[in-house]
């Protein structure tokens, strides 16, 4: 048995490769505004801090997301939402190891939650379309709480929904956003190396472990939780 009682998982870049859909919507937005399209791998570096930041970065074609005219930003945001609703889930793919990892976590008796910066109106349909919705007892989205990751509030809220104290939870993500949110909330933190980390090497992050897949994450939880319980 493991001491841990819950796993809180990021969505984009941890559970799902959603870049093809996000890039399609972002480029459709740019074309609508009279701009050239960007490479998919460039747009991938813009993902991680919510839709507003993705839109600002895509407008600027820069990770810094320089300030732009507010009217232009609102036009761009409306355009992105419209285009993303059309393609959300069309080409998103569940990463290797996710289904087996989630099953293993469930067999360990863990409560599972998604904690994402993606808005609710995109998150819930995406979980349904990819067949992941049934694994999770709670879903905390970018508009659920007053603040988004990297603030710890969404992680704390997920723990409250699951009725699990943060010290008995593990946050699993792919970026600095996730590690800061998990650390700030008082959970343990694992990262996967295959996601969207805004160009930051996950080996530089303050984490309890780097796991190649969610199967490895389940193994870590079982092993380290048992150690904690007997210590």
């Amino acid at each position: 048995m493991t001491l841990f009682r819950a796993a809180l998982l990021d969505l984009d870049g941890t559970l799902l490769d959603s870049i093809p859909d996000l890039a399609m919507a972002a480029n459709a937005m740019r074309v609508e505004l009279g701009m050239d399209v960007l490479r998919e791998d460039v747009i991938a570096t813009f993902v991680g801090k919510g839709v507003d930041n993705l839109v600002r970065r895509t407008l600027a074609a820069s990770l810094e997301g320089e300030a732009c005219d507010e009217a232009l930003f609102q036009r761009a945001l409306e355009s992105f939402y419209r285009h993303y609703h059309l393609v959300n889930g069309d080409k998103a793919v569940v990463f290797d190891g996710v289904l087996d990892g989630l099953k293993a976590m469930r067999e360990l008796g863990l409560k599972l939650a998604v904690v994402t910066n993606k808005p609710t109106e995109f998150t819930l349909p995406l979980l349904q379309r990819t067949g992941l919705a049934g694994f999770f007892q709670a879903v905390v989205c970018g508009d659920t709480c007053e603040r988004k990751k990297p603030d710890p509030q969404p992680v704390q809220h997920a723990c409250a929904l699951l009725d699990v104290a943060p010290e008995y939870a593990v946050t699993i993500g792919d970026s600095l956003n996730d590690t800061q949110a998990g650390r700030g909330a008082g959970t343990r933190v694992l990262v996967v190396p295959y996601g969207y980390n805004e160009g930051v090497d996950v080996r530089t992050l303050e984490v309890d472990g780097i796991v190649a897949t969610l199967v490895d994450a389940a193994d870590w939880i079982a092993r380290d939780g048992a150690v904690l319980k007997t210590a």
Side-chain angles (χ1 to χ4, degrees):
M1 292 293 292
T2 177
L3 179 70
F4 295 112
R5 295 290 176 258
L8 317 173
L9 298 105
D10 178 50
L11 182 59
D12 297 311
T14 301
L15 296 175
L16 296 172
D17 180 7
S18 51
I19 289 297
D21 296 338
L22 290 167
M24 184 171 294
N27 273 325
M29 174 198 80
R30 282 181 61 88
V31 169
E32 189 172 306
L33 296 174
M35 301 175 176
D36 294 333
V37 299
L38 300 175
R39 295 199 322 268
E40 188 174 288
D41 63 316
V42 172
I43 294 175
T45 67
F46 300 161
V47 175
K49 285 189 167 63
V51 169
D52 284 11
N53 277 290
L54 173 59
V55 168
R56 291 188 189 279
R57 290 169 169 178
T58 303
L59 279 176
S62 165
L63 188 60
E64 284 69 39
E66 291 89 350
C68 67
D69 176 74
E70 184 61 25
L72 174 62
F73 170 71
Q74 290 300 328
R75 284 178 56 207
L77 192 65
E78 184 277 329
S79 176
F80 177 85
Y81 267 69
R82 180 162 28 85
H83 288 293
Y84 192 41
H85 271 297
L86 296 175
V87 300
N88 182 26
D90 282 359
K91 295 184 178 180
V93 176
V94 178
F95 283 115
D96 290 343
V98 165
L99 291 176
D100 287 339
L102 292 176
K103 290 175 184 176
M105 291 178 199
R106 191 164 58 184
E107 288 169 4
L108 288 171
L110 297 175
K111 296 179 180 180
L112 302 178
V114 169
V115 183
T116 177
N117 280 344
K118 187 187 290 290
T120 302
E121 64 189 273
F122 299 125
T123 300
L124 297 184
L126 186 56
L127 288 171
Q128 290 289 343
R129 290 169 189 170
T130 54
L132 297 179
F135 284 102
F136 300 103
Q137 289 99 319
V139 179
V140 178
C141 303
D143 50 359
T144 303
C145 300
E146 182 181 351
R147 297 182 293 277
K148 301 180 178 67
K149 296 183 294 184
D151 191 280
Q153 187 181 50
V155 173
Q156 293 166 337
H157 184 61
C159 288
L161 290 175
L162 297 178
D163 194 25
V164 173
E167 57 263 36
Y168 298 114
V170 179
T171 297
I172 305 172
D174 64 317
S175 71
L176 180 61
N177 253 10
D178 304 307
T179 65
Q180 290 180 332
R183 276 276 183 264
T187 73
R188 301 293 286 275
V189 178
L190 300 176
V191 291
V192 296
Y194 53 74
Y196 319 140
N197 50 27
E198 299 177 285
V200 176
D201 189 331
V202 294
R203 291 173 297 182
T204 68
L205 303 179
E206 183 187 346
V207 298
D208 295 292
I210 299 173
V211 288
T213 69
L214 291 196
V215 174
D216 296 306
D219 290 342
W220 185 96
I221 291 167
R223 180 181 67 251
D224 282 51
V227 169
L228 287 173
K229 192 170 186 178
T230 57

